[in-house]
């Protein structure tokens, strides 16, 4: 394998130094490296890890494939992503999760970890083959019904107990569907003015509270997907302070970049590109989510990258599918909302975008420190760059970005996976 010297790089935004890579590992020094890259003050971070990515394959290749999604991930600075199970067929069996895992390895731009379904066909009625998926070549250790909440508390309890025996985590889409029938946007003044059926915050908060209690009773690990309300933050804070101590349980949570930046006022143009599940919330929620991420109440950032074919978005709001692209814009949005505001420094970004999500998923080779002996999974970013988002220029097949025409800070220049460049000078390495 090529030996590499990365000169004049700033790990975590600190003083310039040199990093050396041999056999996919960071080493002390190299006498005569095969390759030298002058980073010229670029910031080095551990490769990013996304716990919530929709790669659509198999069955949704008109919107994304594992190849195009992996390219988008690498260009966004990611070295590992978790592929959600709402594919066709559903990732609810060893056959399907192994297909996704093997296809990710063939593409080789990022580590693709399939997320197994909790219930058969995401139907919420019968547990899927969790044990067999865990024992498969894909080694599944995260289970979720993704955009469908496991509403039945007995099914959720059994899933948590089963996951505990597998040393796995259950990732829940917190939404009481009985409270969101026909819902189109956050329940509040904006939705009322636009004539859109409201989506109450309590639909999320009540499930977060219920599942925290179930996890505590089961001694299991629960991960809350795309937390979106200030009330959910307080439920999570309460659970950690009063419910979880003395148990073997752990409850973690993620927030998406779009919930950190955008608010429900984006729906005022009726453009379905802004329709997402959970919906965009008012500014008070957005600010609370930022504070919670900075304080560690929310553990990490996950993109919920959700590409859609043109016909699923180029239609009236009520008929449009929810979801937004996120992989290539995530780091820039985190920088815009958290770094430029002083809520996080670059070490903090490494924590919420790499180290903690890797720990939640149980990855031993991702999210590691940029120190000697650790895997050479890293991203080099230009903290001074600014770029304008154009959906047509992104690597995904779909172009449903909510940031179209928006100027964002920070660009990914190089990405490295186990000592091999996957992105160089902002382009996928050939």
């Amino acid at each position: 394998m090529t030996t590499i010297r990365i000169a004049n790089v700033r790990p975590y935004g600190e003083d310039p130094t040199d990093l050396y890579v041999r056999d996919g590992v960071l080493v002390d020094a190299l006498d005569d490296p095969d390759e030298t890259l002058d980073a010229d003050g670029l910031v080095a971070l551990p490769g990013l890890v996304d716990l919530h990515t929709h790669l659509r394959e198999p069955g949704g290749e008109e919107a994304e494939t594992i190849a195009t999604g992996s390219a988008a991930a690498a260009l966004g600075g990611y070295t590992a992503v978790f592929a959600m199970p709402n594919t066709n067929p559903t990732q609810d069996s060893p056959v399907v999760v192994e297909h996704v895992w093997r296809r990710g390895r063939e593409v080789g731009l990022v580590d693709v970890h399939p997320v197994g379904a909790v219930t058969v066909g995401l139907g919420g009625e019968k547990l899927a083959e969790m044990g067999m998926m865990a024992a498969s070549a894909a080694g599944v250790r995260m289970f979720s019904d993704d955009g469908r909440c496991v509403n039945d508390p007995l099914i959720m309890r059994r899933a948590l107990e089963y996951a505990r025996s597998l040393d796995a985590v259950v990732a829940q889409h917190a939404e009481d569907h009985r409270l969101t029938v026909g819902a189109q946007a956050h329940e509040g003044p904006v939705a009322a003015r636009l004539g859109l059926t409201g989506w109450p915050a309590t639909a999320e908060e009540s499930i977060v509270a219920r599942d925290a209690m179930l996890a505590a009773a089961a001694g299991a690990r629960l991960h809350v997907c795309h937390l979106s309300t200030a009330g959910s933050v307080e439920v999570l804070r309460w659970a950690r302070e009063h419910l979880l101590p003395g148990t073997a349980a752990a409850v973690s949570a993620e927030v998406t970049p779009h919930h950190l930046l955008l608010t429900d006022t984006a729906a005022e143009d009726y453009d379905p590109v802004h329709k997402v599940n959970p919906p965009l919330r008012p500014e008070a929620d957005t600010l609370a989510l930022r504070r919670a991420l900075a304080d560690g109440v929310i553990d990490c950032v996950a993109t919920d990258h959700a590409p859609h074919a043109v016909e699923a978005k180029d239609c009236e709001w009520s008929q449009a599918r929810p979801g937004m692209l996120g992989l290539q814009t995530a780091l820039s949005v985190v920088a815009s909302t958290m770094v430029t505001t002083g809520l996080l420094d670059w070490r903090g970004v490494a924590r919420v975008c790499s180290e903690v999500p890797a720990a939640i998923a149980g990855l031993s080779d991702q999210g590691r420190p940029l120190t000697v002996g650790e895997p050479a999974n890293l991203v080099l970013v230009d903290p001074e760059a600014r770029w304008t988002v154009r959906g047509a220029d992104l690597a995904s097949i779909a172009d449903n970005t909510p940031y179209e025409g928006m100027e964002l800070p920070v660009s990914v220049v190089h990405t490295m996976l186990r000592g091999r460049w996957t992105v160089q000078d902002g382009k996928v390495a050939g």
Side-chain angles (χ1 to χ4, degrees):
M1 184 174 287
T2 301
T3 55
I4 302 171
R5 174 192 174 210
I6 306 173
N8 302 312
V9 69
R10 297 167 55 213
Y12 308 102
E14 297 170 358
D15 293 337
T17 187
D18 292 355
L19 296 177
Y20 300 92
V21 179
R22 182 176 58 215
D23 296 331
V25 175
L26 293 170
V27 295
D28 257 330
L30 294 167
D31 292 332
D32 187 21
D34 299 320
E35 175 188 336
T36 295
L37 171 72
D38 186 355
D40 194 23
L42 296 178
V43 171
L45 302 173
L48 310 186
V49 177
D50 188 16
L51 295 179
H52 198 139
T53 300
H54 297 272
L55 296 181
R56 301 303 189 205
E57 184 181 345
E61 289 86 352
E62 72 281 1
E64 192 77 287
T65 66
I66 291 172
T68 59
S70 293
L75 289 164
Y78 288 89
T79 52
V81 299
F82 283 74
M84 283 305 202
N86 61 336
T87 51
N88 185 19
T90 304
Q91 290 169 203
D92 60 2
S93 69
V95 171
V96 183
V97 296
E98 285 186 355
H99 165 77
V100 172
W101 175 74
R102 288 197 174 95
R103 183 67 187 123
R105 287 168 64 90
E106 289 170 1
V107 173
L109 293 173
V110 294
D111 289 342
V112 175
H113 298 278
V115 177
V118 172
T119 65
V120 174
L122 308 180
E125 296 180 355
K126 180 182 178 182
L127 286 181
E129 299 170 343
M130 295 170 65
M132 293 180 68
M133 286 187 279
S136 72
V140 174
R141 288 298 181 273
M142 179 176 286
F143 297 91
S144 177
D145 272 2
D146 187 39
R148 301 184 187 181
C149 178
V150 182
N151 254 333
D152 188 322
L154 181 58
I155 296 292
M156 186 61 179
R157 177 185 176 183
R158 288 173 175 166
L160 287 165
E161 291 171 342
Y162 201 6
R164 179 193 62 201
S165 70
L166 300 172
D167 191 24
V169 60
V170 176
Q172 173 74 296
H173 171 98
E175 175 194 349
D176 190 328
H177 297 297
R178 293 165 296 187
L179 294 173
T180 60
V181 175
Q184 296 292 323
H186 172 76
E187 184 178 82
V190 173
R193 186 169 67 252
L194 298 176
L196 298 174
T197 304
W199 188 307
T202 51
E204 173 177 303
E205 295 155 5
S206 58
I207 296 295
V208 175
R210 184 203 74 174
D211 287 354
M213 293 178 182
L214 290 175
R221 291 194 291 138
L222 168 72
H223 180 71
V224 183
C225 296
H226 40 52
L227 206 75
S228 70
T229 77
S232 291
V233 169
E234 294 311 310
V235 171
L236 185 59
R237 193 191 311 272
W238 168 82
R240 289 191 176 145
E241 292 178 357
H242 302 287
L243 189 64
L244 300 179
T247 75
V251 179
S252 56
E254 69 191 34
V255 64
T256 70
H258 49 269
H259 284 111
L260 291 173
L261 179 61
L262 305 175
T263 70
D264 60 343
T265 60
E268 291 177 342
D269 62 4
Y270 287 104
D271 187 342
V273 76
H274 296 122
K275 184 176 181 180
V276 68
N277 181 359
L280 300 175
R281 305 291 189 180
E283 184 180 26
D285 292 289
T286 300
L287 296 177
L289 295 172
R290 293 181 190 180
R291 290 192 297 269
L293 182 63
D295 294 343
V297 178
I298 295 177
D299 300 86
C300 65
V301 174
T303 69
D304 195 8
H305 174 82
H308 286 297
V310 173
E311 60 270 21
K313 281 293 191 180
D314 191 12
C315 57
E316 62 269 31
W317 181 282
S318 63
Q319 298 303 309
R321 294 284 304 278
M324 304 168 167
L325 298 184
L327 285 169
Q328 284 181 251
T329 51
L331 185 60
S332 291
V333 174
V334 170
S336 176
T337 57
M338 304 299 295
V339 178
T340 63
T341 57
L343 290 170
L344 288 178
D345 58 13
W346 286 112
R347 278 199 175 270
V349 172
R351 172 174 59 83
V352 302
C353 291
S354 179
E355 296 163 1
V356 172
I360 290 170
L363 300 183
S364 60
D365 59 344
Q366 296 281 353
R368 301 298 302 165
L370 298 178
T371 56
V372 171
E374 297 289 355
N377 298 321
L378 53 90
V379 55
L380 305 183
V381 304
D382 183 349
E384 305 301 325
R386 299 193 68 84
W387 63 291
T388 300
V389 181
R390 302 293 181 196
D393 296 335
L394 301 178
S396 293
I397 295 173
D399 63 0
N400 55 301
T401 173
Y403 313 114
E404 181 71 31
M406 189 180 296
E407 186 180 77
L408 293 176
V410 176
S411 67
V412 172
V413 183
H414 307 282
T415 307
M416 175 178 283
L417 176 64
R418 286 186 288 278
R420 177 175 57 85
W421 296 116
T422 55
V423 170
Q424 290 183 288
D425 296 319
K427 295 184 173 73
V428 175

